[in-house]
Amino acid sequence: MPKFYARQRLSVLAGLTGMVATAALFNSPTASAALPTPVAASTARGYLSQLTVAAEDRTGYSRDKFPTWITIEGTCNTREWILKRDGTNVVTNSACTATSGSWYSPYDGATWTSASDVDIDHLVPLAEAWDSGASKWTTAQRQAFANDVTRPQLLAVTDNVNQSKGDQDPATWIPPRTAYDCTYVRAWVQVKYYYNLSVDPAEKTALQNDLAGC
């Protein structure tokens, strides 16, 4: 994975929003598509060793500082695009609202037939990103992060499971369906590495322990 604007080139993030939308035009979502496959556990362990360890600071956080959802393709915003990508037999109307389909939530193994029962989870929560470096980004950079359909960062899951996760990191929350835990922590580390975000000590220990079993 090219690190592109990661690590030392975070300033290039501002242009990602347009790039995401452009890429979507050539990579339209298909039914039953999954979260973009995260890096291998061995790669994730290497990435984790390079992440800065720092205390978290939520001073000044507001969800409004991470604009969602933006238009990704046609009339589809980010939520609708992910619903199409992650669902099976999804039918949408002219406004790209899902009118039928089914969605399997890998966090808990539940399947839903109403889009209203499904949330789009930011795998690395917006508040967590703020705490670990995004407070220094521009609004355009935070918008790119909040609507990233390229990295393993957005996923359709059961709404109440997503709400129980809230803004917790892997030190205090991992998916209740243990079969998905390895995928989850690999994705978490990949996203943090790509965006040059730090980890706190408890978070790093939890990630190390989880990755050791992958």
Side-chain angles (χ1 to χ4, degrees), residues 75 186 200:
T75 60
R186 285 158 46 210
D200 66 48

Side-chain angles (χ1 to χ4, degrees), residues 77-124:
N77 67 23
T78 315
R79 172 181 164 82
E80 294 158 346
W81 197 94
I82 295 294
L83 286 173
K84 290 173 66 178
R85 185 198 71 182
D86 289 1
T88 300
N89 299 323
V90 177
V91 176
T92 59
N93 60 22
S94 60
C96 202
T97 301
T99 57
S100 64
S102 65
W103 292 268
Y104 173 77
S105 169
Y107 283 2
D108 59 338
T111 298
W112 303 96
T113 57
S114 174
S116 63
D117 291 319
V118 177
D119 279 355
I120 307 303
D121 180 41
H122 289 93
L123 195 137
V124 174

Side-chain angles (χ1 to χ4, degrees), residues 46-68:
Y47 285 176
L48 180 59
S49 70
Q50 298 177 57
L51 296 182
T52 299
V53 178
E56 295 182 348
D57 182 2
R58 193 158 300 183
T59 304
Y61 170 73
S62 167
R63 188 180 177 89
D64 292 341
K65 294 180 179 179
F66 292 80
T68 57

